[in-house]
Structure formats: C-alpha cells, structure tokens
Amino acid sequence: MTPKSSNPFARGWQHATAVFTSACVALLLAGCASVAGGGDPLPSWNDGPAKKAIVAFVDDVTRDGSPGFVPPAQRIATFDNDGTLWAEQPIYTQFAFMIDQVNAAAPKHPEWANNPVYKALAANDLRGALAGGEKPLLELLVQGNSGMTVDEYDKAVRQWLATARHPVLKRPYIETVYQPQLELLAYLRAKGFKTFIVSGGTMEVMRPWSQAVYGIPPEQVVGSSQGVKFDGNGALMREPSLAFLNDGPGKPVGIYMHIGQRPILAFGNSDGDLQMLQYTVAGPGRSLALLVHHDDAAREFAYDRTSPFGKLDKAWDEAVRRNWVVVSMKNDWKRVFADPKP
C-alpha cells in the first residue's frame, strides 16, 4: 500500500494518479475483452469494406502457408496518435496541456507580456495565437515547457490528464480514445504484431500513459522530442528547444531511427501521416495503409481539407489514387468512444 503523505500537494498527486491509473486500466481491458473472449475481435467496427480489408490482410500475413505470410519479428504496425487513436479537435490535446504549462510559467517570464502569441493565449484566442503560423506558437510552448527535470514534467503530464476534461466532449481526455482502435490494437497484438505510436506529439507527453491506455510501452512510442541535458547531479533537465520534429517527412526518419524496421501496416488520419504511409507501402511484400476520415459531427467532429488541426487533403487524394483504406468514422464505426466511466 502506498503510504499517505502529510504534504497536501503530495496527497493530491497520489489521488490523481490513482484515478488516472484506474480509468486507464478500465479502457485497456475494454479493448482486450473481445479478443480474449474468442469472438469478433473488432465488435465496434461495422461489417463493411474497411473491416473486411483489415481482417483479410491480418489473416494473409499471419497464416502459415499463406503467400503473404510475414514472420512475427517483421509484423510492425505504426499508429499516429492525434486524430487516429484519440480526438484532436478543437485543438491537439498536447497543445492544451502545453498552454496550461505556459500559463503556469508566465509569472517567471515577464518578457512574454509583449509577445503577441502569449497575449492571444492569455485571452483564449487560439486563432490569434496561430495568426503568425505554427512556428511562433510552438516556440512559446517549448519555452513554457522547459526549465524542469524530466521527472517533474512526467508528473505534470500525469496530474493534468487525471483532472483535465475535453472542452467540447465534456469527458476526461483519456476517455476520448477511440474504442474501435483499442480493439484493433489488441487484435493485432494477439496476431503477433508489435504496435507502435508514431506521432507528431512529443514522446515526453505520450510515454507516461501509453502503456495504461493503449497497451503500448514507452519504448514503443516514437514522437517529436524537446531538448534534454544532463545537469551533472543525476537529473535530466528540459531545455527550451525542439530536438526533433516527428511529423510529415520526419515520421519515416523517426521510424528508421527508433524502430529500425519498415512497418507493414500504418494508420493515420492527416497530411502529417502521408509520408509514413508512403514509406510503409514502398516496402517489399504485403502492406496496408489506412486513414481515418472524421466525418461524424454527431458523435465526434467532421473535418478534412481545410482544418487547422488534422488537415486531410493531400493524403486523402493519395489514398484515393492508390486505393488505400479510408475508414469513415460515421459509417465504419458502430461506436466512437468507450462508455464514460462513473
């Protein structure tokens, strides 16, 4: 049993961690139940072309004697995170967290008072913060998320996720995970696949919870990364610099550097995933490229070619041209989210 601390913040942190862990385990168990039960491994998927294509591909590459058989060691599946595994509208979840961190750090940065990006964020004007493009916003977010140890940042991520709620869906962020994708991850692993997250989000924000929510351990999370430096006293300090951007053409590079094998299945939802899908299908043997199309305004959001977040334009055209599988959230998923936890 974890001892109770006399420090009020520590007690709050212990409670937040317990709530977060409990909710995550419930989500993961929900995704694994149908696979373990031996029934339909994808019960939240409608029996349409997308589901049939996935099942046929998995059967072909895992069945002994099949012409498309792939040995287990080569069964690599990569998934984008934002918009593919959980909701990304009206703003990336990581951006929401990083903005909160910027606001908390503001008293230490009086120079931000004249920064138009910070002024816009302080006024909850996201459109204004993006007026100069994503680069000035990203620079401020990186600065506001530095100056602490990696362990302190890890705790901040966990505590935020334990208490923060989605502004539109009105549920905890970890409950904006897509139930059909939890089932697909579990199904693939049951068939000998090794599943990875390959995201434009930073590894530091995803790794604290990827195992509990997705069943994907931290070493199988590939993402952007902020600068880190050893302080000489046993700690790693976060620096105000972006070390690597794992988005667009950076995704195949990140896969090569961190995984060392080309995937045979890749799942994304936006133009930022295009190069990952192109890299996947360029390999020898069977491969499968998939895109989620957010076309369900009733249960989630509807957006594609003109969205400032998760824009699906060039990747959609490429998918149509090359006959990739485009998954309609509206038509291919019986349900979008798992049931809210009491």
Side-chain angles (χ1 to χ4, degrees):
M1 178 178 292
T2 303
K4 292 185 178 179
S5 170
S6 60
N7 183 303
F9 174 80
R11 290 200 304 270
W13 165 243
Q14 290 171 354
H15 174 72
T17 299
V19 172
F20 174 62
T21 301
S22 175
C24 289
V25 169
L27 280 173
L28 186 57
L29 290 177
C32 295
S34 58
V35 176
D40 181 359
L42 304 175
S44 296
W45 291 72
N46 286 317
D47 292 324
K51 180 177 180 178
K52 290 178 181 177
I54 291 170
V55 172
F57 171 79
V58 172
D59 178 69
D60 187 35
V61 300
T62 60
R63 180 168 38 86
D64 285 336
S66 168
F69 179 78
V70 176
Q74 298 173 22
R75 295 175 196 166
I76 304 297
T78 58
F79 287 74
D80 169 57
N81 187 43
D82 298 302
T84 300
L85 294 178
W86 72 350
E88 65 182 354
Q89 294 287 342
I91 183 176
Y92 297 132
T93 300
Q94 174 159 349
F95 272 19
F97 164 72
M98 295 179 79
I99 288 171
D100 282 354
Q101 293 294 103
V102 166
N103 289 330
K108 300 177 183 178
H109 294 274
E111 72 277 10
W112 289 353
N114 297 318
N115 185 323
V117 176
Y118 176 71
K119 288 181 179 180
L121 289 182
N124 292 318
D125 179 11
L126 182 60
R127 185 180 297 273
L130 286 166
E134 286 192 9
K135 185 177 179 181
L137 173 60
L138 187 58
E139 288 174 348
L140 179 64
L141 294 179
V142 167
Q143 188 176 5
N145 284 259
S146 62
M148 72 284 288
T149 68
V150 296
D151 292 334
E152 289 169 340
Y153 197 68
D154 181 280
K155 288 183 179 180
V157 172
R158 294 172 189 266
Q159 186 177 32
W160 187 86
L161 280 174
T163 56
R165 299 179 71 86
H166 192 280
V168 177
L169 300 172
K170 307 301 182 183
R171 55 170 62 201
Y173 280 99
I174 59 168
E175 291 183 11
T176 69
V177 172
Y178 303 136
Q179 178 65 25
Q181 299 292 57
L182 291 178
E183 295 167 3
L184 178 56
L185 288 169
Y187 173 51
L188 291 173
R189 289 193 288 265
K191 291 293 187 176
F193 279 78
K194 197 170 185 178
T195 55
F196 291 81
I197 293 174
V198 179
S199 174
T202 65
M203 295 181 287
E204 301 92 337
V205 169
M206 293 182 288
R207 285 176 170 173
W209 52 271
S210 63
Q211 175 79 65
V213 175
Y214 299 135
I216 296 177
E219 65 271 18
Q220 290 170 217
V221 173
V222 182
S224 300
S225 57
Q226 193 160 328
V228 175
K229 182 175 69 174
F230 184 63
D231 71 351
N233 296 308
L236 293 172
M237 300 296 300
R238 291 175 58 80
E239 296 192 302
S241 61
L242 189 64
F244 179 69
L245 181 59
N246 190 69
D247 195 39
K251 287 199 173 186
V253 176
I255 290 170
Y256 169 75
M257 293 176 63
H258 291 272
I259 303 175
Q261 295 187 76
R262 191 189 302 261
I264 64 170
L265 181 153
F267 210 145
N269 77 292
S270 72
D271 287 358
D273 304 310
L274 174 58
Q275 289 83 356
M276 176 175 72
L277 273 60
Q278 291 172 329
Y279 180 62
T280 298
V281 300
R286 288 293 309 275
S287 60
L288 184 64
L290 305 106
L291 282 167
V292 176
H293 181 207
H294 292 263
D295 57 355
D296 195 333
R299 296 185 298 178
E300 200 231 21
F301 302 97
Y303 60 98
D304 41 57
R305 294 190 187 274
T306 61
S307 175
F309 297 104
K311 180 179 181 180
L312 179 59
D313 183 27
K314 294 179 180 178
W316 192 356
D317 291 340
E318 184 83 345
V320 172
R321 185 178 71 85
R322 304 185 65 171
N323 201 32
W324 293 346
V325 177
V326 177
V327 177
S328 164
M329 182 176 285
K330 182 177 182 180
N331 298 322
D332 289 314
W333 287 357
K334 293 179 183 177
R335 62 194 302 193
V336 175
F337 307 112
D339 293 333
K341 300 299 175 287

